[in-house]
Amino acid sequence: MTIISRLITIIIFLGTTVSHASDIHISSLSELAKYAGKSGHVITMEPGVYKLTDYLISDSISARCNRKVFQYITFSGSNNVFNLKGVEIELDTKIRTLLNPPIHSDEFLVTGSNNEFVGLTIRCVGNGTSPGGTVLQVAGKSNVLKDITLHVAGSYPYGYGDLFGKGKQAETTIKHRKHSGLLVTGNETKLYRCKVYSRSFGHCFFYSTTS
């Protein structure tokens, strides 16, 4: 095979790969969870409100408890684009109570690198509480978040500030159940026009990156 023939073959292969990767359209949280673990794709989700309780039913919650899997969706893949414009995930906080995760367990987690997320809204509803976790943690390297909106609720107490103290249990008058918004631990994370509306006892946004 000549050099020119090899180049033509490579170009055709790359073109086929890009075309296939850019033509993924989904319309459910189960599909989103599936592609969250894959790499090298452009995923467009149909706009709408998606209830987490339709994806995590009681049987799957019990299975997660047994496997000690406390995240709702983990984006472990890399080099993806998630077009989530007009997509809202309704997060019933009672799921957190049922899972009863360890302290500081996050709910949606990005561990992959070089991903771009555009337009997602996550809205907490209900009266459940979280033992100190965040709605979203970005842990992978070089991820980009654009126009992401978090509506955070689900803590105990809320509306009293530091009145009852905070920190170690011996230093407080009641046992807190914090629920925070966005935690960034991955290096080179970029945020554009992201918003956190917090009605929760906890951090709105905080970061802790490695050097």
Side-chain angles (χ1 to χ4, degrees):
M1 182 181 292
T2 66
I3 294 177
I4 294 178
S5 298
R6 290 178 179 175
L7 288 174
I8 291 174
T9 302
I10 292 172
I11 291 171
I12 291 174
F13 173 77
L14 290 175
T16 302
T17 302
V18 171
S19 175
H20 175 72
S22 62
D23 193 28
I24 297 174
H25 295 266
I26 62 175
S27 57
S28 69
L29 290 179
S30 59
E31 291 176 299
L32 180 62
K34 171 185 174 181
Y35 285 103
K38 298 182 179 296
S39 298
H41 294 293
V42 177
I43 299 98
T44 300
M45 192 167 186
E46 182 178 335
V49 177
Y50 296 84
K51 295 185 178 182
L52 199 62
T53 48
D54 292 337
Y55 168 59
L56 293 180
I57 59 176
S58 58
D59 289 343
S60 62
I61 290 175
S62 298
R64 282 171 180 257
C65 287
N66 292 333
R67 301 197 315 269
K68 299 187 184 302
V69 176
F70 301 109
Q71 282 72 38
Y72 301 145
I73 297 178
T74 297
F75 294 86
S76 57
S78 297
N79 303 306
N80 293 306
V81 176
F82 290 91
N83 180 8
L84 306 173
K85 295 178 181 177
V87 172
E88 178 176 314
I89 298 177
E90 184 182 283
L91 191 168
D92 194 326
T93 52
K94 73 179 181 183
I95 297 176
R96 213 66 192 149
T97 302
L98 292 173
L99 280 174
N100 191 28
I103 190 170
H104 299 152
S105 296
D106 303 299
E107 298 170 11
F108 293 88
L109 181 60
V110 180
T111 58
S113 300
N114 299 300
N115 296 296
E116 181 173 322
F117 299 85
V118 183
L120 174 65
T121 294
I122 300 176
R123 185 183 303 273
C124 297
V125 299
N127 298 314
T129 58
S130 170
T134 62
V135 173
L136 174 63
Q137 182 189 165
V138 184
K141 183 179 179 181
S142 299
N143 289 292
V144 178
L145 277 62
K146 296 180 179 179
D147 301 305
I148 305 299
T149 302
L150 305 180
H151 295 267
V152 185
S155 66
Y156 177 80
Y158 170 64
Y160 297 93
D162 295 341
L163 179 63
F164 297 105
K166 64 179 181 180
K168 296 180 180 179
Q169 186 60 36
E171 301 171 355
T172 63
T173 57
I174 60 174
K175 185 175 181 179
H176 298 105
R177 292 180 66 85
K178 296 181 180 179
H179 195 201
S180 299
L182 174 62
L183 169 60
V184 174
T185 57
N187 289 336
E188 300 178 26
T189 300
K190 295 180 175 63
L191 309 175
Y192 299 95
R193 301 177 302 277
C194 296
K195 301 175 182 178
V196 178
Y197 297 94
S198 182
R199 293 177 174 83
S200 177
F201 183 74
H203 302 287
C204 290
F205 164 77
F206 59 119
Y207 67 92
S208 175
T209 58
T210 59
S211 57

